[in-house]
Amino acid sequence: MKKTVLLIAILPFFGCAELQQVANQLPGILEQGNINIAGGLKEALNNGISKQVTKLTATDGFYRNEAVKILLPDELKKVDAGLRKIGLSSLADDGLRAINRTAEDAVKTATPIFVDAVTGMSFTDAKNILMGNESAATTYLQGSTSTALYGKFNPVIKNSFAKVGADKIWTQIITKYNSIPLVKKVNPDLTDYVTNQAMNGVFKMIAIEEKDIRTNISARTSNLLKNVFAMQDKK
């Protein structure tokens, strides 16, 4: 039961097919007494998708979400300021928006990796997470998925730079900036930077959802959710 409740806290980002995969691999712990924990998982999933995943993968899902918006690295802050000084504020805005757009595609690739992490969670892992703080499940996922997520996100973001036109925008931005007299030339690795920032954004949103589902009874919008998460409240 404890393990299942923990999985509910970290599964709001999965698709229906992935949730069914997890459910099939967890026989014996999906129901307890008269409480349909499997049904609670599915309902929590559907709520999580509508609240979180759709937002992140939609147009400007990162750019207009202050919790995860990708800001410029220190090296490019001077580029941004330099462009605005010479009247190119619009180009600077386009550049910031473009790197956020590339993160949207990457997030869509995260689900299978999270499924692997959840199904690989041991009893000891679950016990430690349950007795941990309000972001213990997120911390577990971060530690067990970061390497795989980077490997998945990085090529997606690299391709997305071309797909959303960010490569052309940033080539123009860097060229313009480097042509300004007396400035120190820059050549940042934006793919690596955006990959790490996109990962940070995903974990931030998981932490928000985990905290809400652990602590906010009003987030339990049906009798099924109330019954399932009441078990966690008693730990």
Side-chain angles (χ1 to χ4, degrees), residues 91-113:
L91 181 59
D93 290 339
D94 288 344
L96 183 59
R97 186 179 292 107
I99 63 174
N100 279 270
R101 289 274 173 86
T102 64
E104 297 159 12
D105 280 339
V107 171
K108 299 172 186 176
T109 70
T111 299
I113 296 170

Side-chain angles (χ1 to χ4, degrees), residues 8 56 59 95 122 161:
I8 296 172
L56 285 180
T59 299
S122 69
F161 263 88

Side-chain angles (χ1 to χ4, degrees), residues 45-58:
L45 158 72
N46 290 329
N47 289 348
I49 289 174
S50 63
K51 293 176 183 177
Q52 305 292 358
V53 174
T54 301
K55 291 179 182 179
L56 285 180
T57 60

Side-chain angles (χ1 to χ4, degrees), residues 9-232:
I10 61 178
L11 278 175
F13 284 75
F14 293 179
C16 292
E18 289 83 6
L19 178 67
Q20 189 60 52
Q21 177 184 341
V22 173
N24 291 340
Q25 294 180 1
L26 295 174
I29 66 169
L30 294 180
E31 289 200 32
Q32 178 158 330
N34 294 322
I35 299 176
N36 181 2
I37 295 176
L41 279 165
K42 293 177 182 179
E43 188 167 340
L45 158 72
N46 290 329
N47 289 348
I49 289 174
S50 63
K51 293 176 183 177
Q52 305 292 358
V53 174
T54 301
K55 291 179 182 179
L56 285 180
T57 60
T59 299
D60 286 340
F62 274 79
Y63 187 72
R64 296 192 182 280
N65 184 338
E66 292 301 321
V68 298
K69 182 177 181 179
I70 299 175
L71 303 178
L72 294 176
D74 290 340
E75 183 181 13
L76 291 182
K77 288 178 181 177
K78 60 185 178 182
V79 174
D80 183 87
L83 292 177
R84 295 181 191 282
K85 285 181 181 178
I86 61 175
L88 294 176
S89 294
S90 178
L91 181 59
D93 290 339
D94 288 344
L96 183 59
R97 186 179 292 107
I99 63 174
N100 279 270
R101 289 274 173 86
T102 64
E104 297 159 12
D105 280 339
V107 171
K108 299 172 186 176
T109 70
T111 299
I113 296 170
F114 287 149
V115 169
D116 289 343
V118 170
T119 56
M121 185 185 293
S122 69
F123 176 78
T124 300
D125 290 331
K127 182 179 179 181
N128 291 338
I129 292 168
L130 184 62
M131 301 308 294
N133 59 32
E134 63 190 14
S135 63
T138 303
T139 300
Y140 168 81
L141 273 185
Q142 193 164 10
S144 59
T145 65
S146 288
T147 299
L149 279 178
Y150 187 95
K152 180 72 74 171
F153 276 23
N154 194 259
V156 171
I157 286 174
K158 185 176 181 179
N159 291 333
S160 294
F161 263 88
K163 187 165 75 172
V164 306
D167 55 345
K168 294 180 180 178
I169 292 172
W170 275 98
T171 295
Q172 184 180 2
I173 287 173
I174 297 303
T175 299
K176 285 281 188 184
Y177 178 78
N178 286 343
S179 69
I180 299 174
L182 304 180
V183 301
K184 182 179 179 180
K185 304 297 187 286
V186 297
N187 185 29
D189 184 349
L190 280 175
T191 301
D192 176 72
Y193 175 75
V194 176
T195 297
N196 284 299
Q197 292 302 306
M199 289 169 57
N200 289 342
V202 168
F203 290 125
K204 282 182 182 179
M205 296 307 292
I206 293 175
I208 289 171
E209 189 68 20
E210 179 183 356
K211 179 179 179 180
D212 195 39
I213 205 165
R214 282 180 182 266
T215 63
N216 184 7
I217 294 177
S218 66
R220 304 165 193 176
T221 54
S222 71
N223 288 333
L224 178 58
L225 288 177
K226 290 174 184 176
N227 290 335
V228 169
F229 289 106
M231 292 187 289
Q232 176 195 256

